[in-house]
Amino acid sequence: MKVLHLINTLSAGGAELHLLTLCQHLKRLGVESAVAYLKEGQGSRPLRSDFEIAGFSVFHLGGDGVSLVRPLLRLHRLLKQEKPDILHTHLPRADLLGFLVRLSGFSGSWICSVHGIYANHWRGRRLLSLFRSIWRQADQVIAISEAVKGWLIQGYRLPSEKVRVVYYGIEPERWFSPIQDLRTAWGLTGKSLIGSIGRLEPVKGHDILIQAMLFVVRQFPQATLLIAGHDPWGYGRVLERLVTQLGVERHVRFLGFQSDIPSFLHAIDVFAFASRSEGFGQVVIEAMAAGKPVVVQRIAPLTEIVVDGETGFYAEPEKPESFAEKILWLLSHSEEASDMGKKGQARVREHFTAEKMTSSTLEVYREALKQAGAAR
């Protein structure tokens, strides 16, 4: 079986890192993969070399502008050259190209992965009305959570039987121990550290955590919030002004993009994630794999990952004081917090492994090929 994956960029992010893990594990199962991407990303670490070092052919289709003509022509040539059994597209722009090559006669199976509830955060969401027809033309659609599946069925009337939920999966052992001691490197030994990871943009809810620190530092004056994530659109300036307005400059640090996430997670005491919208929330399972108790905003699909009161806590949406209450409890109950972290590790090993994700994806591929064979 040969698969060509098509994605918008290869800059490190949830969908892109997921794709790298998926390709590596498909290779172990005998599936040949190649990867094409439309444009160069900005701000985070480029992953092209990671794919190539792992043995995958990578093709840049030159879709950096608005026009789709050049990448579409290059995709046509690439499909004739590579002759994949399956075209697997990731993210809306790639899905649109998949639709266009299907209309122009691509005879292989076409799988779409929908990586989020795009109506909540995609910058091109005004175009989403077009995607009802696009996604319905795919042979199979992979939703990365039950929340995404529900959005596709209810909002875009996709047939339930066409949409398969496949959770993101990671290699848990990668998160068991740090690579370096970042507490010492950052001069934060002895402090209570709350960590969060995500691009600096409104949907990630960093402002909620910054406001929560007003309550946290009253009880834990040595507490510090560490925010890791690149700033693609300059929203960091807004967050820095909020920090100044609240007078919590000594308690909030912006670290920028971090490539050593295992060490970051092992440096903190509590992982907090106030995102207002997610397709899945891979950083949450990474924190759980590192043995950290987590506090997340009470939204689907984060409620599919975290078991409230067992592996962490839900905080009420848009309420900084709710986040502060949960964070303070974890900082005040270190033994119980450690136990939650261990239960989180067990939950990741049971539900969110790369092996489980890959075997489920392979089932989708086989079903699509079976349907294609029957149609012939």
Side-chain angles (χ1 to χ4, degrees):
M1 184 188 303
K2 186 173 185 178
V3 181
L4 175 65
H5 294 275
L6 176 64
I7 194 165
N8 196 33
T9 79
L10 286 182
S11 288
E16 296 79 12
L17 290 166
H18 150 80
L19 179 56
L20 177 59
T21 302
L22 177 62
C23 288
Q24 290 171 330
H25 283 260
L26 284 171
K27 184 177 181 180
R28 297 176 188 177
L29 297 178
V31 177
E32 183 181 351
S33 295
V35 177
Y37 67 105
L38 298 176
K39 63 180 184 178
E40 302 293 350
Q42 298 178 351
S44 63
R45 183 172 68 87
L47 295 175
R48 176 167 184 157
S49 62
D50 296 73
F51 281 90
E52 292 175 333
I53 290 170
F56 303 109
S57 298
V58 180
F59 306 92
H60 179 211
L61 299 185
D64 294 275
V66 175
S67 173
L68 292 176
V69 175
R70 178 190 294 177
L72 182 60
L73 291 174
R74 290 182 175 179
L75 179 58
H76 271 295
R77 290 197 293 270
L78 185 58
L79 289 169
K80 289 181 181 179
Q81 171 188 315
E82 295 294 310
K83 297 181 174 60
D85 303 294
I86 292 171
L87 174 64
H88 188 165
T89 59
H90 305 260
L91 302 173
R93 203 158 182 242
D95 295 344
L96 175 56
L97 281 180
F99 173 71
L100 293 175
V101 296
R102 166 57 61 89
L103 289 182
S104 60
F106 173 63
S107 58
S109 294
W110 171 34
I111 309 294
C112 285
S113 276
V114 178
H115 290 267
I117 300 175
Y118 302 140
N120 292 344
H121 60 85
W122 183 39
R123 301 182 84 189
R125 56 186 175 272
R126 67 186 183 279
L127 303 175
L128 274 174
S129 58
L130 302 173
F131 280 79
R132 177 181 299 172
S133 299
I134 290 172
W135 288 324
R136 289 177 72 93
Q137 290 299 314
D139 296 301
Q140 295 282 324
V141 175
I142 293 175
I144 63 171
S145 65
E146 293 289 349
V148 172
K149 179 176 180 176
W151 174 67
L152 290 170
I153 293 171
Q154 295 163 22
Y156 294 85
R157 300 178 184 173
L158 266 66
S160 178
E161 63 274 11
K162 176 169 277 195
V163 184
R164 173 75 176 270
V165 173
V166 179
Y167 287 129
Y168 279 1
I170 61 173
E171 298 167 329
E173 61 277 5
R174 288 189 55 208
W175 311 95
F176 287 167
S177 58
I179 298 171
Q180 56 182 323
D181 178 7
L182 292 183
R183 269 184 179 260
T184 301
W186 292 334
L188 294 172
T189 302
K191 292 185 178 291
S192 299
L193 301 183
I194 302 100
S196 193
I197 300 171
R199 290 184 305 275
L200 302 190
E201 56 181 333
V203 73
K204 293 300 182 181
H206 298 307
D207 56 305
I208 298 173
L209 297 180
I210 292 169
Q211 294 174 72
M213 291 304 292
L214 272 175
F215 304 94
V216 172
V217 297
R218 292 173 188 170
Q219 188 170 331
F220 282 84
Q222 294 301 311
T224 301
L225 171 63
L226 305 177
I227 298 175
H230 67 291
D231 186 10
W233 300 293
Y235 181 66
R237 292 190 295 271
V238 176
L239 295 176
E240 288 168 358
R241 285 197 296 270
L242 177 62
V243 169
T244 301
Q245 289 166 7
L246 296 176
V248 291
E249 297 96 323
R250 293 190 302 110
H251 303 285
V252 179
R253 286 196 188 184
F254 297 97
L255 302 178
F257 177 77
Q258 296 291 300
S259 58
D260 184 2
I261 297 300
S263 296
F264 172 86
L265 291 171
H266 279 274
I268 64 176
D269 299 294
V270 175
F271 182 79
F273 195 59
S275 183
R276 295 177 166 103
S277 177
E278 288 293 322
F280 179 68
Q282 179 159 316
V283 293
V284 177
I285 61 172
E286 291 171 353
M288 290 164 61
K292 299 301 171 179
V294 300
V295 182
V296 300
Q297 186 142 259
R298 190 193 293 269
I299 61 167
L302 302 182
T303 50
E304 298 175 42
I305 300 172
V306 179
V307 180
D308 191 35
E310 182 177 319
T311 65
F313 289 119
Y314 303 154
E316 297 308 314
E318 303 297 330
K319 292 191 179 297
E321 63 273 22
S322 181
F323 269 93
E325 176 190 352
K326 307 303 184 184
I327 291 168
L328 284 168
W329 191 94
L330 291 169
L331 294 178
S332 303
H333 297 79
S334 58
E335 188 173 331
E336 291 89 341
S338 177
D339 186 56
M340 282 185 170
K342 292 174 183 175
K343 289 178 178 176
Q345 286 181 317
R347 182 163 172 78
V348 171
R349 287 194 296 267
E350 182 176 358
H351 297 286
F352 306 117
T353 64
E355 288 81 4
K356 190 174 183 67
M357 171 188 70
T358 306
S359 63
S360 296
T361 303
L362 190 54
E363 288 178 17
V364 175
Y365 290 169
R366 287 170 174 160
E367 179 62 25
L369 293 175
K370 182 180 178 181
Q371 290 174 355
R376 296 191 189 99

